[in-house]
Amino acid sequence: GIISSLKGKQIAMGFSVLKDGCFLRKEVEKIVPSPYPLWEGDIQTNYHFGGYGKYTPELLKFIDDFEKQNSIPLEQVYTGKMMFGIYDLIRKGHFLKGSTVIAIHTGGLQGKNTNRQ
C-alpha cells in the first residue's frame, strides 16, 4: 500500500532484521508490481546486528542517544535497527542532499522491556 501511493521522485525501502534477509527481496517482488520505479528494489540487510532479537552495544547506545535527543522510544528488535540504518545511510550519503526521509515507526515496543546488558 505504501509503495502504490508514492508519487513523483518518492521511493520506498525496507530494512530486514533477519541475518539472512536477502530472501525477502524475492518475497516483496512477488507482491510489488514490476517494474515499479518507486520501489528502490532493495531491502537493507546490513543492519540486523546478528539477527532477529540480537543486538550489540553499538545499537543499544544509538537507541539510548536517539531517545534522549528525540523523545521517541525505540527497541532493539525492529525500530532501533531501522533508525540506526537510516542514520547510517544518511551519514554515508545514500540519499540525495536536501531529500526528506520519512521513517514509519510501527510502534512495536515489546522487546524494549527485555533484559539488556
Side-chain angles (χ1 to χ4, degrees), residues 27-109:
E27 293 301 312
V28 170
E29 288 169 4
K30 288 179 188 177
I31 58 174
V32 173
S34 182
Y36 207 97
L38 303 176
W39 167 242
E40 192 165 276
D42 200 11
I43 294 177
Q44 299 295 319
T45 58
N46 294 325
Y47 302 103
H48 56 74
F49 291 89
Y52 178 79
K54 306 225 187 232
Y55 51 87
T56 64
E58 178 186 23
L59 177 63
L60 296 180
K61 181 178 180 343
F62 170 82
I63 289 170
D64 290 341
D65 292 346
F66 182 90
E67 289 178 351
K68 287 174 189 166
Q69 293 172 2
N70 300 290
S71 298
I72 299 172
L74 301 175
E75 44 67 47
Q76 68 277 7
V77 179
Y78 296 110
T79 56
K81 292 177 180 183
M82 175 191 69
M83 290 307 294
F84 183 100
I86 290 170
Y87 274 57
D88 189 53
L89 291 171
I90 290 169
R91 186 177 53 77
K92 291 178 177 175
H94 179 83
F95 303 105
L96 294 175
K97 190 171 182 136
S99 295
T100 299
V101 177
I102 298 173
I104 299 177
H105 187 313
T106 57
L109 294 172

